Amino acid sequence: AMRHLPYFCRGEVVKGFGRGSKELGIPTANFSEQVVESFPSDISTGIYYGWACVGNGDVHKMVLSIGWNPFYKNIKKSVETHIIHTFKEDFYGEILSIVITGYIRPEKNFDSLEALISAIQEDIEEAKRQLDLPEHLKLKEDNFFNLPEGKTVNNH
Ligand code: ADP
Ligand code: MG
């Protein structure tokens, strides 16, 4: 799972398939199918962590899931980023830049919604801890996140 890391990726945030992540308090910004197709085909599904920024905004910690996309009958992957930050508004159509720096665990099925939510909360805590370590922290400052001066993304 670590072979492709760190992995840099930039793309538009699209509508997901409405699994109600936001209702669980854990919204996930979905990348388009085209961006997902650009990922290494042998990258492991599961839960990862790293850094994310929307447009030319601040860089925040994130957890990311690479999973099988039920919308495509589980033959295509989905890549969904939960940014560990409270945003005032949705940002569909904006450009999301991420660097994936570490891997937490494989995909799992849960017996209950409560079990799923508490697993995700643990993933978030694990991500926060790991990202404070120098080898992960250093990628927060990567030039990848510095869009060229004066260049606007989606008018922001
Ligand atoms: P969808 O099925 O359309 O992906 P979600 O319930 O997963 O719906 O919500 C995702 C959307 O919520 C994102 O596309 C983004 O516009 C918004 N959003 C707000 N806060 C966050 C956040 N902290 N992390 C990710 N997305 C967020
Ligand atoms: Mg989503």
Side-chain angles (χ1 to χ4, degrees):
M2 306 292 290
R3 197 152 43 91
H4 296 289
L5 306 187
Y7 188 78
F8 294 85
C9 176
R10 181 150 34 230
E12 191 183 337
V13 176
V14 301
K15 266 270 172 203
F17 31 86
R19 282 198 296 205
S21 319
K22 204 177 288 168
E23 286 70 27
L24 304 184
I26 316 151
T28 60
N30 293 49
F31 277 127
S32 68
E33 186 190 333
Q34 193 188 330
V35 171
V36 175
E37 296 277 300
S38 71
F39 273 63
S41 57
D42 62 344
I43 199 165
S44 305
T45 59
I47 310 300
Y48 295 79
Y49 57 85
W51 299 101
C53 113
V54 178
N56 51 14
D58 293 340
V59 181
H60 301 286
K61 293 176 176 177
M62 63 80 164
V63 288
L64 173 127
S65 109
I66 300 178
W68 294 106
N69 191 331
F71 188 80
Y72 293 103
K73 300 194 164 72
N74 299 325
I75 56 166
K76 287 180 188 284
K77 283 173 181 163
S78 73
V79 177
E80 306 185 21
T81 304
H82 172 66
I83 303 174
I84 306 173
H85 177 75
T86 304
F87 289 87
K88 289 197 193 78
E89 288 174 344
D90 286 350
F91 45 85
Y92 291 109
E94 302 258 7
I95 300 298
L96 175 66
S97 301
I98 64 166
V99 55
I100 308 171
T101 71
Y103 175 79
I104 301 179
R105 61 171 174 86
E107 280 191 288
K108 269 191 273 194
N109 286 314
F110 293 94
D111 297 334
S112 68
L113 206 54
E114 289 70 29
L116 169 66
I117 294 172
S118 72
I120 296 170
Q121 298 302 351
E122 282 171 32
D123 295 335
I124 290 171
E125 291 311 310
E126 173 74 359
K128 285 185 187 166
R129 277 193 300 272
Q130 294 293 333
L131 287 163
D132 281 334
L133 302 176
E135 68 165 304
H136 299 290
L137 194 55
K138 69 170 192 245
L139 283 143
K140 184 183 186 185
E141 312 299 336
D142 197 279
N143 251 330
F144 176 73
F145 290 116
N146 299 327
L147 288 170
E149 193 74 37
K151 185 177 175 212
T152 58
V153 174
N154 297 344
N155 301 316
H156 286 274

